[in-house]
Amino acid sequence: MFLRKSIIAVTGLFLCLFLVVHLSANCILILPEETARTLYNSYATVLRESPLIKLIAYVLYLSIVLHIIYAVLITR
């Protein structure tokens, strides 16, 4: 039971961390238009070209699935 709750905690923490990073990246758009355009284009280029981002995407998908599965198991 402890392992299941730990998995839910870790995956939930990762999902929350992802949301904070995603929100902070979108907050670039609050800056003045020229600065925001430059920074956001750089950010989009990194997202498109970085192999680390693909790895994080797969970890994100896995976290969502594990979080749901273990939440159902604990609830039952």
Side-chain angles (χ1 to χ4, degrees):
M1 185 64 108
F2 177 74
L3 180 63
R4 290 179 180 180
K5 287 185 178 183
S6 296
I7 290 173
I8 286 182
V10 169
T11 57
L13 185 62
F14 179 72
L15 295 171
C16 288
L17 179 65
F18 170 78
L19 288 176
V20 168
V21 170
H22 186 70
L23 175 66
S24 64
N26 285 332
C27 284
I28 291 172
L29 299 174
I30 296 173
L31 298 172
E33 184 179 350
E34 193 57 41
T35 306
R37 181 177 293 136
T38 304
L39 287 175
Y40 201 78
N41 285 339
S42 298
Y43 170 69
T45 301
V46 169
L47 287 180
R48 194 172 48 250
E49 297 175 359
S50 175
L52 179 63
I53 298 300
K54 288 185 180 184
L55 175 66
I56 291 173
Y58 289 123
V59 172
L60 179 66
Y61 302 145
L62 181 64
S63 292
I64 291 169
V65 170
L66 286 176
H67 193 80
I68 292 169
I69 289 171
Y70 280 96
V72 169
L73 288 175
I74 287 177
T75 302
R76 295 182 120 220

